[in-house]
Amino acid sequence: MGRTVAESEWCHAIARHAAGTLPEAVAPVPAPDGATVVMVAGRPISCWPYVEGSWPDSDVPAQRAAGARLLARLHESLATFRPPPRPVPAFQESGLYGGLPQDALELDDPALDRWLAEFHARHPLRHPLHGDYYTGNTLARDGGIVAVLDWDEAFVGAPEVELAAAALEWGDDELGPSREFVEAYHEAGGTAGELDEEALAQLIRHKLRREYAYFHKAVRAGVRHDADDLEYHRDRVALFHRLRP
């Protein structure tokens, strides 16, 4: 995916730390020298344990609540870890602290930019985050969630940022279920602070703006989207505008 070895190793270190206290965190298997990335025929390779399971169904309230509780435990497990600076900024970080990201000029929103800068000034807590916590990066079995996968988007940030993004994904783009996700997370003792209606909406809008940028990045790379993909993209852009406070 174009990531450097150093970037992958950094993300793997986040996964390995989480796996030390969280059984569901799936971390790469290290080589004898401790490296988690090895070069084979000029390509970076990592080896990961196999975990049997299937994607959880966020439409099922019990599975949505389980996803929220697991995120709370994941944040607790990472709260004290202090990795060195990320070798390359994560994709989600562009525009996160205020300022229009240059890859999403069409979604210019100075009020959102100001709000993000002010929010982070008021919320100084930072710790490692998974970076892409949605149902497709987890596995369920026998009614419970048994694995958290794919740490390539990990970064250090405010836990509220990840909570809002995950609430959108696990709430299936509906704010009612998203709020239920947030409530279950807080009941489980996650590190993120409370999110009022405006904070939830604005942090979700940051995520949607990054999704917009990723869609167009894929187009520039030659990805051809089908009709369902295009409809999904249009719906997410519409949601970005609809959630404007």
Side-chain angles (χ1 to χ4, degrees):
M1 298 299 292
R3 295 182 179 86
T4 66
V5 170
E7 184 181 5
S8 293
E9 290 271 10
W10 189 93
C11 294
H12 295 172
I14 305 300
R16 294 177 70 182
H17 180 86
T21 57
L22 190 72
E24 296 91 343
V26 179
V29 178
D33 64 357
T36 55
V37 180
V38 297
M39 300 301 294
V40 177
R43 298 175 63 88
I45 302 294
S46 298
C47 182
W48 298 76
Y50 172 75
V51 180
E52 184 177 355
S54 58
W55 291 340
D57 187 348
S58 57
D59 285 334
V60 177
Q63 294 197 28
R64 185 167 60 243
R69 290 192 296 268
L70 179 54
L71 180 61
R73 291 170 50 226
L74 174 59
H75 283 178
E76 286 186 289
S77 74
L78 294 173
T80 59
F81 187 40
R82 298 293 181 265
R86 200 180 195 277
V88 179
F91 192 78
Q92 294 297 327
E93 293 183 84
S94 182
L96 181 57
Y97 301 104
L100 174 64
Q102 294 303 299
D103 54 3
L105 296 177
E106 296 82 358
L107 297 187
D108 184 17
D109 189 335
L112 173 60
D113 300 335
R114 289 192 298 271
W115 186 92
L116 287 168
E118 293 167 1
F119 175 86
H120 283 95
R122 298 192 309 270
H123 294 78
L125 176 62
R126 305 283 186 273
H127 64 66
L129 308 172
H130 178 274
D132 196 14
Y133 188 84
Y134 79 111
T135 54
N137 281 338
T138 61
L139 293 174
R141 187 175 67 245
D142 300 328
I145 299 178
V146 296
V148 181
L149 314 166
D150 193 351
W151 297 78
D152 288 342
E153 299 300 329
F155 68 99
V156 173
E160 294 84 2
V161 172
E162 179 151 85
L163 174 58
L168 172 69
E169 297 293 348
W170 290 75
D172 291 327
D173 303 351
E174 297 291 337
L175 287 190
S178 292
R179 293 188 193 97
E180 293 173 8
F181 184 95
V182 172
E183 291 170 4
Y185 170 94
H186 283 130
E187 288 172 0
T191 60
E194 295 292 332
L195 294 177
D196 60 20
E197 296 294 313
E198 182 181 24
L200 180 60
Q202 292 287 52
L203 291 174
I204 285 175
R205 294 180 74 230
H206 166 73
K207 173 181 171 53
L208 292 170
R209 190 156 68 175
R210 297 316 299 144
E211 285 189 2
Y212 175 93
Y214 191 85
F215 176 90
H216 288 281
K217 178 183 178 181
V219 170
R220 291 192 297 272
V223 173
R224 297 179 64 88
H225 295 97
D226 62 21
D228 289 341
D229 294 332
L230 293 172
E231 181 179 6
Y232 179 81
H233 174 66
R234 287 191 293 268
D235 287 347
R236 300 289 264 198
V237 172
L239 182 60
F240 172 85
H241 293 295
R242 190 165 69 249
L243 289 178
R244 188 193 306 270

